[in-house]
Amino acid sequence: MALSTFLSSSQSHSTSVVLAVGIVYALGMYALAAFGGYQFEAETSAQLLFYVVWITGGQLLVASVPTYLFIRYGYLFPLLMFGVIVVYTVSVELSGSADSSLAIYGFFWILPVVLILVAAGIEYAVRTTVLQ
């Protein structure tokens, strides 16, 4: 039995896994940013709340979308793209060669999500045209 088949056997179980992966990833990104010395800078508490919600929601999506696509459809390309994003983010943060990775793509998380969805589209095309 494939891992994706096992995980998708229960809708509530797979939802829990997707949320857990997203939460762990978001917390990991915050921890990595804190390790690098990044601090939120906001003029008002409302602006700070917006930043936290925007960044956390984005990080949840960055990790949850490829996880969901793997569990639901067994797609591997989105997971590979997510892995590339994680390696890049961690390497930038640990090298100290640029701004914090949370500052770089925390606010612009839409690009990694689009890259993940493009990878899913490529895998879908390969599965439906080449492999069928």
Side-chain angles (χ1 to χ4, degrees):
M1 176 188 292
L3 180 61
S4 63
T5 306
F6 170 74
L7 290 174
S8 65
S9 63
S10 167
Q11 182 64 31
S12 63
H13 184 255
S14 59
T15 302
S16 299
V17 170
V18 167
L19 286 175
V21 168
I23 290 168
V24 167
Y25 179 71
L27 291 175
M29 288 294 100
Y30 279 119
L32 186 63
F35 173 77
Y38 179 76
Q39 296 178 354
F40 283 107
E41 294 180 10
E43 295 176 12
T44 65
S45 58
Q47 187 180 31
L48 179 64
L49 178 64
F50 172 75
Y51 289 164
V52 170
V53 169
W54 177 258
I55 291 172
T56 304
Q59 300 312 305
L60 283 169
L61 284 175
V62 168
S64 296
V65 167
T67 305
Y68 172 78
L69 291 171
F70 174 72
I71 291 172
R72 180 74 170 107
Y73 302 106
Y75 286 3
L76 294 175
F77 286 2
L79 278 181
L80 178 63
M81 182 59 67
F82 174 65
V84 168
I85 291 167
V86 169
V87 168
Y88 172 75
T89 303
V90 171
S91 66
V92 165
E93 190 65 50
L94 294 180
S95 71
S97 61
D99 286 339
S100 170
S101 54
L102 191 63
I104 293 171
Y105 97 101
F107 286 101
F108 305 108
W109 53 263
I110 293 172
L111 179 60
V113 171
V114 167
L115 292 174
I116 288 167
L117 291 174
V118 166
I122 291 169
E123 184 165 349
Y124 173 79
V126 167
R127 286 181 178 208
T128 57
T129 59
V130 176
L131 299 178
Q132 292 254 329

